[in-house]
Amino acid sequence: MTGQKFGFNRKLQGGVAALVLAMMVGAAPLPAMAQMPDYAYYYHQANAYFGKGELTKAIEMYEKALPLAEGESLPVAQNNLAAIYMRRGNYMLSDQKQPGNALSDYRRAYYLLEYAWPEGMDRSTQQEANRKIARENMQIGYSNLNINTQDKNWHLEAARRLRAEGKFQEAVVEYARVHELDTGNTDVLKALGDLFNVLNRPEKSKKYYGMASENLGPRADDELLVRLANSQNKAGEVDNAVASLNKALELNPNNHDALKQLEDIWVRDLRFNPNSVLGHANLASVYQKKKMYVEALREYNAAEHLASRDPKVTLDVKKLIRLNMGTLYQEQGNHEMAIKAYDTVLQIDPGHKLATYYKATLLRDTGRVNEAIAQYNRLLSLDPDSEDAHGDLLKLIQRQPSQAQVIAGLKDYAGRYPSNALVQSKVGEEFHALKMYDEAISYYLKALAVKPDMAAAHANLGAAYAAKDSPMQALEHFRKAQALDPNNETVKKLSEETELAVGGEAYRKAVELQQQGDNEGAVRQYEEALKIAANDSPELRASYGVALQSLNRIPEAIAQYQKAIAAAPDNGDFQYYLATAYHQQNKLGDAELAYQKALRSASISDEARGQSEEAVKSIHEAQASEVLTQVVTAYEAKNHVQALSLVDKALKLDPGNAMAYYYQALVYTDQNKVQQSIDSYNRVIQNDPSFKDAYFGLGVALDKKQDKSAAKSAFQKFLELSNGQDDDFVKYARERANAL
């Protein structure tokens, strides 16, 4: 901590002394001690202590003066008190080396000049300058304690600690800093509202409770609205307080604090205006909610009596009082008086919706079903979209004594409101519950004809189709419902389950058609199954590939096999399928590689293993045959070295290839390598005992080696295989055999 770090290096703008002099001009004499101290007394005492440098005592006096300040005196007192806090903070920091106490004083100064500044009052040039200095001092205080002013969590913890310690002004400053860093934190706004409420600053608490309520929107809870109403009431905004309390009671009719506040508001109103019709009526409503029926009836009667004597009271107010009296009688179980109250309103205003509705509910609750149905139908002619009326009417129809009457009632109800999508959908739900799926589907479709974007009707229609074992139609409507209501987890689950069912059915049909030899039909079913991502599997892809390959759609089949292998790389059968497709394209290298992978797999079927082994052998034979063509060309060109090299290549591919050994023997014969040629001819015969020309070549080589017996045998075998032919080779062999 250094002097440079502290940096309070300029005089406070509009310092306390200057302000005190301004206020002293023409001031009244100090009151006698026997009198009750007032603002001026504490103010003068504070200035006197300040003049002596006794900052703490000066602060104590200003703290006492502040609650007594009014009008223009209030900002002056707050400014001066803030200036003294800053002066003491400077002293704590630079002289006492107590940065924590300094920060505490800076917070209080900033609270007075920023957050507690009187609503609607502008700051003078001097007061605005002091506000900026207070903020700078706050930054200096944080810096001396190595506090990161961007650390939201630090400020939040500091705010909570200061609040718990009863340092409410300082807690306000820290919570306000958190709010600057996180404007959406509703808990912080509530905390600021609570603190200003404790500090008896209703204008401020109202502001922060209001901001919290706006942040939450429809999610605002009843307790927050009650706190807001309390602040509004203290701030003199009684109408706003009543509105907030009524909202709180809509969320929680049993909120006792809300009821108590409303009761206090209307009792106070009647104390100043005992002939207030609305005051008596509203107090009666509060008593009714508190189930204080005797008191409620007394206040309703008073309101009705006063309304009858006051020509300025509107007919609407009189009807509302009478209507509320009806609800009170209904709650008490006095049905006769309730009916009379409702009928009184309806005689004056036959189209009164609430009176019609309340009378319908009373008839319903007293078991007068047919009368209640008629009353609800009357209400729906006035308000076709009343969900409460529709719901109650459906329940009454369900209470009919027989299923036939229920069905008739439902059809009559739906017929009355053909253009009401909600009615058609609800009737569909009732038939759905009765497991009358065709009727349910019919009414769901009627609802959707009126309102195509009705998510619930689509979902229920999907469920009805699913119950009728029509999964494709069910899936269509589940998907539409999901698109209209993407956050509905139930619809999402139903859609997924139906997708699996649809895909599974398509897969089953595809396999069945494939087994019947209808590969074109199988391909169509596989494609239907693959339209649903949830059904995609390596097995389905492989089966689809087999069907495509059967139709000679080889590239498409290969693509499906590759997808199956990507998902299940260790499946030997999938590798085998891929190999056969390459083999069919005569891509022997790719085919052999796939066959070899199949053979290395532990999961290959016995049939696929055997077929793969045969296929690899066949490929090698074909490859060896291609090499032999090159051997012949090299041999005929007398390129013996190349011919022997190619023979070796052919034999590596096909170790039992008799033709390869034959050309090997021919080359050795040309090179006069008698014994090597004999060995090669023997290998030819070993792999192909019917190879006639090999016996002739072997006889010649053995004859040259003077192995007469073996040579004669070879020539005789050649003659035997020649089967009566008579060419030069046969004549030579016969002559040598006879000679030998």
Side-chain angles (χ1 to χ4, degrees):
M1 183 173 63
T2 65
Q4 288 83 358
K5 216 171 189 181
F6 164 57
F8 196 160
N9 54 11
R10 56 182 173 178
K11 183 178 179 183
L12 288 175
Q13 298 295 315
V16 175
L19 287 171
V20 169
L21 289 173
M23 293 296 294
M24 287 293 290
V25 175
L30 290 176
M33 291 302 292
Q35 295 176 330
M36 180 69 70
D38 60 5
Y39 168 75
Y41 172 80
Y42 291 121
Y43 183 85
H44 287 298
Q45 289 290 316
N47 290 335
Y49 282 126
F50 178 75
K52 292 188 247 179
E54 298 183 43
L55 301 180
T56 299
K57 290 184 177 179
I59 287 170
E60 289 174 0
M61 291 297 107
Y62 264 120
E63 292 282 11
K64 292 179 179 179
L66 200 57
L68 303 173
E70 296 178 354
E72 294 299 326
S73 298
L74 183 56
V76 171
Q78 285 193 196
N79 179 71
N80 284 2
L81 178 55
I84 299 173
Y85 269 128
M86 285 192 283
R87 190 69 58 83
R88 190 174 73 175
N90 297 343
Y91 171 73
M92 290 292 178
L93 188 61
S94 58
D95 294 352
Q96 297 296 311
K97 313 300 182 189
Q98 297 178 12
N101 289 335
L103 178 59
S104 181
D105 279 345
Y106 294 151
R107 283 195 191 107
R108 291 171 182 167
Y110 194 55
Y111 165 80
L112 291 164
L113 293 169
E114 177 67 27
Y115 301 113
W117 197 259
E119 291 288 330
M121 284 195 175
D122 294 330
R123 296 178 182 83
S124 68
T125 302
Q126 295 171 335
Q127 291 162 352
E128 177 61 26
N130 277 350
R131 184 178 73 88
K132 292 179 180 177
I133 293 170
R135 188 171 183 87
E136 291 173 10
N137 283 349
M138 284 273 293
Q139 295 299 113
I140 291 168
Y142 287 134
S143 178
N144 275 279
L145 290 168
N146 296 315
I147 294 165
N148 178 7
T149 56
Q150 300 302 310
D151 187 345
K152 180 178 69 175
N153 292 330
W154 186 91
H155 288 289
L156 186 58
E157 288 303 315
R160 290 169 176 164
R161 174 176 50 79
L162 290 165
R163 183 178 183 178
E165 292 173 357
K167 298 176 180 178
F168 302 132
Q169 296 178 355
E170 294 180 57
V172 165
V173 174
E174 294 300 337
Y175 273 122
R177 179 58 186 156
V178 177
H179 175 59
E180 289 175 9
L181 297 169
D182 183 6
T183 55
N185 193 320
T186 305
D187 290 336
V188 168
L189 292 171
K190 288 181 182 179
L192 284 165
D194 292 341
L195 287 166
F196 278 117
N197 188 46
V198 172
L199 291 164
N200 199 25
R201 299 272 184 165
E203 288 292 335
K204 301 291 184 181
S205 63
K206 170 177 68 82
K207 170 185 172 183
Y208 287 104
Y209 286 142
M211 289 169 67
S213 180
E214 286 176 12
N215 269 8
L216 291 171
R219 296 180 294 110
D221 60 87
D222 56 307
E223 291 298 333
L224 173 59
L225 291 168
V226 169
R227 294 188 211 176
L228 172 61
N230 184 48
S231 298
Q232 290 168 328
N233 195 14
K234 288 182 179 178
E237 298 179 6
V238 178
D239 289 345
N240 289 338
V242 169
S244 296
L245 292 168
N246 284 330
K247 284 182 184 177
L249 288 169
E250 286 176 14
L251 294 170
N252 179 11
N254 297 317
N255 190 307
H256 298 296
D257 290 335
L259 290 169
K260 182 66 171 65
Q261 277 200 53
L262 279 172
E263 182 180 357
D264 291 344
I265 287 171
W266 298 121
V267 167
R268 185 172 65 247
D269 180 62
L270 289 172
R271 187 177 299 125
F272 292 102
N273 186 8
N275 294 324
S276 169
V277 173
L278 290 178
H280 283 289
N282 284 320
L283 182 58
S285 178
V286 174
Y287 285 145
Q288 185 175 346
K289 288 171 183 173
K290 294 178 72 174
K291 301 192 184 307
M292 298 169 62
Y293 297 130
V294 173
E295 293 83 353
L297 185 58
R298 181 190 67 215
E299 296 300 327
Y300 280 135
N301 283 327
E304 198 166 46
H305 174 70
L306 291 167
S308 67
R309 298 172 59 188
D310 187 348
K312 291 183 290 184
V313 177
T314 66
L315 183 60
D316 284 341
V317 171
K318 293 177 180 178
K319 286 189 291 186
L320 186 58
I321 294 169
R322 173 54 53 170
L323 186 69
N324 282 357
M325 291 180 76
T327 63
L328 175 62
Y329 287 129
Q330 189 170 347
E331 284 182 45
Q332 288 181 298
N334 190 341
H335 302 143
E336 183 180 351
M337 290 298 294
I339 287 285
K340 285 182 179 179
Y342 298 143
D343 283 344
T344 300
V345 176
L346 291 171
Q347 285 168 6
I348 302 169
D349 182 3
H352 199 286
K353 296 176 186 177
L354 271 178
T356 306
Y357 176 67
Y358 290 147
K359 183 177 179 181
T361 61
L362 190 149
L363 293 168
R364 175 201 66 195
D365 294 343
T366 53
R368 295 155 71 176
V369 175
N370 291 330
E371 291 177 78
I373 289 174
Q375 194 70 21
Y376 276 117
N377 280 322
R378 190 173 295 117
L379 172 60
L380 287 169
S381 68
L382 300 170
D383 184 7
D385 296 324
S386 172
E387 290 192 23
D388 288 337
H390 283 298
D392 289 351
L393 185 51
L394 272 173
K395 290 175 183 175
L396 285 169
I397 293 171
Q398 292 167 355
R399 286 167 59 180
Q400 296 291 338
S402 71
Q403 187 176 36
Q405 288 174 293
V406 170
I407 292 170
L410 289 171
K411 290 182 176 180
D412 175 70
Y413 172 48
R416 287 174 180 269
Y417 310 101
S419 299
N420 190 312
L422 180 63
V423 170
Q424 303 305 313
S425 182
K426 290 290 184 184
V427 170
E429 289 176 26
E430 295 303 319
F431 280 115
H432 200 149
L434 294 170
K435 298 185 178 180
M436 298 173 67
Y437 300 121
D438 289 331
E439 288 80 358
I441 288 169
S442 171
Y443 284 106
Y444 291 142
L445 289 172
K446 288 178 182 179
L448 292 169
V450 176
K451 189 177 181 183
D453 61 349
M454 196 172 184
H458 278 296
N460 288 329
L461 182 54
Y465 277 127
K468 280 178 60 65
D469 199 23
S470 300
M472 286 299 296
Q473 291 168 295
L475 180 58
E476 175 190 352
H477 290 283
F478 282 142
R479 283 176 170 171
K480 287 180 180 178
Q482 196 172 0
L484 293 165
D485 187 7
N487 296 320
N488 190 314
E489 290 299 321
T490 301
V491 173
K492 182 180 178 183
K493 184 178 179 182
L494 286 170
S495 183
E496 289 172 351
E497 290 174 351
T498 308
E499 281 185 348
L500 287 170
V502 169
E505 178 64 13
Y507 190 8
R508 185 190 65 76
K509 286 181 180 178
V511 172
E512 184 179 311
L513 290 169
Q514 203 168 9
Q515 290 171 346
Q516 294 170 359
D518 183 1
N519 288 303
E520 289 186 355
V523 164
R524 286 194 295 272
Q525 288 298 318
Y526 281 128
E527 288 169 350
E528 284 297 319
L530 286 169
K531 287 179 182 177
I532 301 162
N535 291 289
D536 198 348
S537 69
E539 291 77 16
L540 191 154
R541 292 283 180 181
S543 298
Y544 181 29
V546 171
L548 290 166
Q549 189 174 352
S550 299
L551 296 172
N552 207 32
R553 293 163 62 176
I554 308 303
E556 295 171 79
I558 287 172
Q560 296 305 318
Y561 295 145
Q562 288 172 335
K563 288 180 180 179
I565 290 167
D570 296 328
N571 190 301
D573 287 349
F574 298 165
Q575 293 285 359
Y576 167 70
Y577 298 150
L578 179 62
T580 63
Y582 283 134
H583 206 158
Q584 198 169 339
Q585 287 183 318
N586 205 33
K587 294 181 178 179
L588 300 182
D590 291 336
E592 183 187 359
L593 180 61
Y595 281 130
Q596 295 291 4
K597 287 183 178 178
L599 289 168
R600 288 196 296 272
S601 171
S603 65
I604 189 172
S605 65
D606 291 341
E607 182 181 359
R609 181 178 295 280
Q611 294 287 349
S612 295
E613 289 171 349
E614 288 297 322
V616 170
K617 183 179 178 181
S618 172
I619 289 171
H620 286 172
E621 288 174 353
Q623 291 172 331
S625 180
E626 290 178 6
V627 175
L628 277 173
T629 302
Q630 299 171 19
V631 170
V632 172
T633 302
Y635 174 74
E636 289 176 348
K638 302 299 182 183
N639 191 342
H640 295 146
V641 174
Q642 185 182 10
L644 288 174
S645 175
L646 289 167
V647 165
D648 288 341
K649 184 177 180 181
L651 289 171
K652 284 181 181 176
L653 290 167
D654 185 8
N657 193 301
M659 187 61 73
Y661 284 118
Y662 179 70
Y663 274 94
Q664 187 184 60
L666 291 177
V667 171
Y668 287 145
T669 299
D670 287 354
Q671 292 177 335
N672 203 28
K673 295 179 179 179
V674 178
Q675 185 56 50
Q676 288 166 296
S677 68
I678 291 170
D679 292 341
S680 294
Y681 283 130
N682 279 325
R683 287 194 181 95
V684 175
I685 294 165
Q686 181 183 346
N687 285 285
D688 186 2
S690 64
F691 202 122
K692 180 184 68 171
D693 291 345
Y695 287 104
F696 180 85
L698 178 60
V700 172
L702 289 168
D703 196 5
K704 187 180 286 191
K705 194 180 176 185
Q706 300 296 313
D707 189 345
K708 296 180 180 181
S709 175
K712 181 178 180 178
S713 249
F715 283 131
Q716 287 175 336
K717 187 65 177 176
F718 170 74
L719 291 169
E720 180 186 328
L721 292 170
S722 295
N723 200 21
Q725 292 177 352
D726 194 18
D727 57 19
D728 290 342
F729 291 102
V730 172
K731 290 177 181 178
Y732 179 81
R734 189 181 294 119
E735 289 175 3
R736 288 306 301 155
N738 290 333
L740 293 169

